[in-house]
Amino acid sequence: MTTEPTETTNENEEWEPRIVAYCCNWCSYAGADLAGTSRIQYPTNARILRVNCTGRLSPEFILAALDMGADGVLVSGCHPGDCHYTSGNLKARARWAMMETAIEQAGVDPRRVRLQWASASEAQLFADGVREITEQVKELGPIRSEWK
Amino acid sequence: MSENKPNSALVIGGGVAGITAALDIASQGFKVYLVERNPSIGGVMAQIDKTFPTLDCSACILTPKLSEVSRHKNIEILTYSEVGSVTGSAGDFHVRVKRKARYVNEDVCTGCGDCAEECPVEVANEFDLNIGFRKAIYVPFPQATPNVYTVDKENCIDCGRCVKACQRNAIDLDMKDTTLEFHVGAIIIATGFQLYDITDYPRLGYGHYANVIHAMEFERLINAAGPTHGHLIRLGDGKTPKSIGFIQCVGARDVQKGVPYCSRVCCMYSIKNAVMALEHNTDGEVWVYYADIRAFGKGFEEFYEMAKKRFGVKFIRGRVAEVMEGKKTGNLVIRVEDTETAEVRLIEHDLIVISPGVVPPIGMDTMAKKMGIEQSDDGYIQAEHTFFGPTETKTPGVFVCGCAEGPKDIPDSVSAGSAAAMKATIVLSQGGT
Amino acid sequence: MSDTKEEPRIGVFVCHCGHNIAGVVDVVSVAEMARDLPNVVFSTDEMFMCSDAGQVLIKEKVKEHNLNRVVVASCSPRMHEPTFRRVVEEVDVNRYLFDQVNLREHVSWCHTREPVKATEKAKDLVRMSVARAAKLENLPIKTVNVLPKTMVVGGGIAGLRSSLDIAERGFDVVLVEKDTQLGGNVAKWTHLFPSDESGAQVIGPLIAAVRKHKRIKIHLNSKVSDFDGYIGNFEVTIKNLSSEKETKVNIGTVIVSTGFEAFKPVGYYSYTKSPNIITLAELQEMPPAQMLIRPSDGKPVKKMVFIGCVGSREPGKIGHEHCSRHCCSATAKAAADLRDDVDESLVLYQDIRTYGKGHEEFHRLARQKHVIYSKFPTDAHPNVEVAADGDIRIRWFDVLAGSELEFHPDLVVLASAMIPPDDMAETAKMFSLTRSGDGFFNPEHIKLAPLTTHTAGVMIAGAAQAAKNASEAVIDASGAAAKAVGLMAQGEVEIESTVSHVISDLCSSCHTCVTACPYGAIIMDEEQTPPVAFVQEAKCKGCGTCAAACPSSAIVMYHSTDEQILTMVEAYLCTTPEPEGGGSA
């Protein structure tokens, strides 16, 4: 990671937060697909990265994204009990608290990260999640202002 | 008992039911002859723009199936062909298939399109319900399978320009019809349906007023690969319609017209089209005139709710009495009794879309008679028994799936295609006993 | 075969999908942008990438430019990833060197009115995918054998039909039923609306045939207590519910046909307040009698009423939003059949959904026999009250007459919803199936793959998939059987190579991964000193939980490595500034 993060902020236009969205393949990625096929409209700010399971995500992935300049990180997986891999999402949830503490200690507002559950049929829930974190992060402003 | 019995099956009809049946038989290692009378497999699903209840693009989900069929080593696709005769019995049917001359050598043509560019003849494109044009040498749609051109000899002027344009010498304007004969152990009828001819309802104005169209024409109009590249316009004057009315149960649930049954798909395809109309024109308004909304399949009721709540589609319960045209505007006025308020209303629309019911396809009677297959009163293939043999016909070794048995939506047709395949392979594996 | 060690040579193909993508996203500029990305040697846009023409284009360009990585920016990989993986394989590019960008479901369809921002997002996603493609690695293509035996879970009409079809086709079946007898819901029905047969007449011959078939082994009063393994090679433990005896079986495929439950509408229409308010299922289960009698006192019913959509079609109420599909036709048939027994018969409905073959005729027959159909408003359901003397009073607004009506029936029949059985969540968990809003199982694809699921080798049939009638369940059952037989007849099937791998040199023998793995796929290799973790690949499903848990970064999750993920994040957030003057790379 040698490349310098770039500033996308342009003073002439409204600042748009950049959000990394990690989605599990079986529930939330499919839910995002359904949001598309249902033509549910939501903010363009999130870039979805597909992982098999939220259990794949160690805190490093969230921290690295924030470090590289993401203004917010969304992690979206299957509802507890519905995990395609039985319990990966529970592992993700267990790590979450620890991760939140870590970013707080680094001086980053924990409201920049969001863990949500959205099943393959909950397109609206997924879209709402993206909307909420986008609005939340807009209020907080660019992450560059926060890193200590 | 099974010495030298043919280890293959015949599937008649290359729509989504026939395709599914063919794949499920072929995957068990049996050979399949898939006969389709059009130049390409794909059936009606290839013409549809989006599918309910997920609004998936129809061609997009169908294409992988088409290519799976075309590359399957156990499936022989016989397009532009019709079954001539069938004799014999379960385990050993003798089949004759008439292969219409397509005047293009299928094995040589690469579908490059050089020929069509040269062709000077433009005719109405039946795939687009005659709204757009195609050449006399053509492929019906971009994902056609096989991706091979066909000469429409009725309109061809034999100028020979296509022959010269083809760098692979694939075109032979003297080609003759041929007959193919083979033995199969089992047969699946998947000949699909056609839409009811709505000119039978003159009071609704179809055929008289330019801005009264039917649902399949609407599908082609909103389709990106269609004649207007997906721009929803009125055929009368090219204007974008703001207010659209959908009329339900035309040629369905109508005892007087000989179609007493429900067509099963019209409610949902109209709700889907209503939603798509609002997708194309967000400040428009859409009304659906219905008798009962039959949203009975998985996810359908939820889709209906979404159409009402999120998209604001308006539903009026009442059979439309008549459609009148405003001479100057080309707009249409619907006269309908809103049965929920007992009011007779006159409502003006820019465009009327009639939702025709489903009827057996042309040629069904002839084929059934030729093969000796029993039909039901409504003209479809009679299933053996609701519970014991819903995909079996009264003739052993002959099975039925999809709309050939009666109106069905896509998932029901697909399930039935797999089920008929299962039954056929039992016959094949047991040598007809 | 392309060698991963080679310098990446990436081809990018941006799909218009007709108007679906190109109508919102400026696909030409996306393709142009991609041309200048590192390792990209070819980039273009095309009308339909999935069409024959699109597929041929990929193959031609791979050969022409000696491409060893392919990125297609089109629709969801959940739709076409298999298509494009096959295409690249046909020109000797390993399928794991393909990556797909979702410009349709995740961009054009959900940002329809923001073309500029949508195009910007599309460019980011393509850049991320190209970065990932450069880091992708060859993985071996693995096949496994498929054991020629299917387990059918649920012995109702669907399960029986599947079992019999598979057995007749020449494969072995293990049929597991939790009840002490076969037949499911249909067997309980003395009146099988919509048909003139009783449930026993329909299910009897099926049960007899299943019992007689030597290829079918039946486990009654039993449940699957453990389910392990992978497509073609599942290890199942079947537990007898009384004796607790466990039987272990190895099978190749599974059909889940666990059916439905008739909703007990407690809280609706004074159900439970009077023995004369029953469900349609309870009416169907009544012993055959000369006359229709009141459950309360055995007197003949003079006035009856059916109420439709009880616990169905309730927007916003989870698990009850769906239409239960079978009830309108069953109600019409029941009302017509019983009309001669009673003086007055009413059907209160919202919509009449007699869609199936012959169903409209039941509806017409009922009306001809003077069954009165009355439509009630969607937002004001009828009110049923039971007086102290047992008198039932029902009041509702008739939409078509525009007036309040009242009726005092002897018998109220509630056409209650089809809902999943109470152990549905347990079954879902056992076979890793997901459920849709109606509570039933999600099929692999709602249109074109209604019988398969996202768990490879596990099929669903009948009402386990959605509310449906017995005839439709029978069709599903044969269809699901075809899917199972297809796998077994081929004898082998390809499986995903996306599994975890332990780099033994880095392993600190801490056992964290062993406990993290939900499948028990990781064991300690005791032959090494010190013992290190080892992934049994056949058991690994590729969730990557172990890779996230490993404190020593000793676990590589193939096709989802840390590097492959983080390079995407970096490509999104740390773009190099556009070169001045736009010089070519």
Side-chain angles (χ1 to χ4, degrees), chain B residues 52 71 253 293-294 405, chain C residues 86 353 357 360 447:
Chain B
F52 57 81
R71 70 167 192 277
R253 301 180 68 188
I293 289 294
R294 296 193 161 168
E405 189 269 333
Chain C
R86 179 189 47 74
R353 295 182 169 174
K357 196 150 196 163
E360 201 75 293
K447 291 308 246 194

Side-chain angles (χ1 to χ4, degrees), chain B residues 30-340:
Chain B
F30 299 110
K31 162 136 189 143
V32 180
Y33 296 94
L34 178 59
V35 174
E36 165 60 50
R37 68 177 166 198
N38 288 309
S40 169
I41 58 169
V44 177
M45 197 179 162
Q47 282 178 289
I48 297 172
D49 182 53
K50 300 289 188 297
T51 58
F52 57 81
T54 53
L55 296 180
D56 254 327
C57 144
S58 186
C60 305
I61 58 176
L62 182 66
T63 315
K65 291 276 165 199
L66 299 183
S67 43
E68 203 181 336
V69 169
S70 81
R71 70 167 192 277
H72 205 296
K73 62 182 193 315
N74 294 338
I75 301 178
E76 188 170 336
I77 304 178
L78 303 170
T79 47
Y80 219 45
S81 302
E82 282 185 60
V83 172
S85 70
V86 173
T87 52
S89 59
D92 191 12
F93 292 104
H94 178 219
V95 182
R96 268 174 212 266
V97 170
K98 181 181 154 197
R99 305 214 68 194
K100 286 179 279 183
R102 92 191 292 155
Y103 306 99
V104 175
N105 186 335
E106 279 185 32
D107 300 329
V108 182
C109 175
T110 61
C112 71
D114 289 350
C115 52
E117 241 166 74
E118 275 300 312
C119 178
V121 184
E122 278 201 335
V123 294
N125 186 353
E126 56 282 83
F127 189 81
D128 286 334
L129 283 302
N130 300 329
I131 299 171
F133 294 93
R134 63 161 169 82
K135 295 296 183 69
I137 185 163
Y138 69 106
V139 282
F141 56 101
Q143 298 91 342
T145 307
N147 185 20
V148 166
Y149 276 74
T150 303
V151 178
D152 160 15
K153 208 56 178 181
E154 269 177 34
N155 290 298
C156 171
I157 54 167
D158 279 312
C159 67
R161 280 161 74 169
C162 57
V163 180
K164 285 197 205 85
C166 181
Q167 295 181 351
R168 295 175 62 91
N169 295 322
I171 303 171
D172 172 8
L173 294 176
D174 297 321
M175 202 179 264
K176 297 275 177 292
D177 293 356
T178 53
T179 303
L180 195 66
E181 294 185 41
F182 48 84
H183 290 255
V184 295
I187 298 174
I188 292 177
I189 300 174
T191 46
F193 69 96
Q194 65 182 5
L195 293 176
Y196 187 89
D197 176 9
I198 54 169
T199 54
D200 222 14
Y201 289 83
R203 62 189 166 84
L204 298 180
Y206 181 80
H208 299 286
Y209 308 141
N211 299 325
V212 178
I213 61 171
H214 68 66
M216 191 55 88
E217 292 168 337
F218 183 87
E219 298 274 356
R220 296 313 300 160
L221 281 177
I222 59 168
N223 189 281
T228 57
H229 302 290
H231 298 294
L232 178 57
I233 52 163
R234 306 208 299 184
L235 295 177
D237 51 16
K239 283 187 190 155
T240 305
K242 277 213 155 183
S243 165
I244 305 177
F246 286 86
I247 304 179
Q248 298 305 109
C249 285
V250 181
R253 301 180 68 188
D254 191 338
V255 180
Q256 267 113 44
K257 299 282 185 192
V259 276
Y261 53 89
C262 167
S263 281
R264 288 174 75 147
V265 289
C266 337
C267 280
M268 291 310 295
Y269 77 58
S270 295
I271 298 174
K272 178 254 306 184
N273 283 339
V275 166
M276 290 315 297
L278 290 171
E279 258 295 301
H280 279 248
N281 187 4
T282 40
D283 55 353
E285 52 169 30
V286 175
W287 302 59
V288 177
Y289 303 91
Y290 71 99
D292 292 287
I293 289 294
R294 296 193 161 168
F296 55 82
K298 189 173 179 83
F300 293 5
E301 179 70 19
E302 295 85 336
F303 186 77
Y304 170 41
E305 276 301 312
M306 180 185 85
K308 281 193 285 189
K309 299 233 169 81
R310 192 148 69 77
F311 285 88
V313 177
K314 298 184 181 74
F315 290 87
I316 290 197
R317 187 180 180 280
R319 287 225 179 195
V320 171
E322 65 177 323
V323 174
M324 295 158 285
E325 189 187 47
K327 277 282 164 279
K328 284 197 186 121
T329 57
N331 287 359
L332 295 317
V333 175
I334 272 183
R335 189 159 64 83
V336 63
E337 185 197 344
D338 181 340
T339 53
E340 297 195 340

Side-chain angles (χ1 to χ4, degrees), chain A residues 1-6 8 13-14 16-20 22 25-30 32-61 64-66 68-71 78 81-88 90-91 95 119-121 138, chain C residues 20 75-79 81 99-102 104-114 117-118 120-122 124-125 128 425 429 432-437 442 454-455 498 515-519 541-549 553 555 557 560-563 565-566 568-570 572-577:
Chain A
M1 279 159 252
T2 49
T3 336
E4 272 301 299
T6 49
T8 52
E13 36 185 273
E14 199 194 342
E16 286 292 346
R18 300 192 296 174
I19 292 162
V20 171
Y22 294 108
N25 181 53
W26 305 98
C27 290
S28 293
Y29 193 92
D33 278 0
L34 185 61
T37 51
S38 310
R39 310 301 192 276
I40 296 170
Q41 305 293 309
Y42 58 88
T44 57
N45 304 61
R47 306 288 178 264
I48 295 176
L49 275 88
R50 185 165 66 134
V51 291
N52 273 350
C53 179
T54 46
R56 170 72 187 91
L57 299 169
S58 56
E60 188 201 349
F61 290 104
L66 293 169
M68 283 188 259
D71 301 301
C78 307
D82 280 354
C83 178
H84 184 77
Y85 303 102
T86 321
S87 58
L90 302 181
K91 307 263 176 15
R95 288 179 203 129
S119 78
S121 53
K138 265 190 184 164
Chain C
N20 284 309
C75 49
S76 173
R78 293 172 58 85
M79 168 118 62
E81 193 173 53
D99 200 52
Q100 191 166 358
V101 188
N102 189 342
R104 200 178 63 174
E105 284 83 347
H106 290 187
V107 184
S108 62
W109 278 353
C110 55
H111 310 311
T112 319
R113 296 181 240 308
E114 297 175 279
K117 285 182 180 173
E120 194 183 307
K121 177 170 173 180
D124 283 346
L125 291 175
M128 291 158 74
K429 201 167 177 145
S432 297
L433 302 177
T434 57
R435 296 162 70 187
S436 42
N442 267 323
H454 283 298
T455 306
T498 49
T515 46
C517 178
Y519 298 101
K541 308 260 193 225
C543 65
T545 302
C546 55
S553 302
I555 299 184
M557 170 69 221
S560 182
T561 65
D562 290 9
E563 195 188 20
I565 296 171
L566 290 173
M568 293 179 82
V569 179
E570 190 187 351
Y572 169 32
L573 299 167
C574 314
T575 47
T576 41

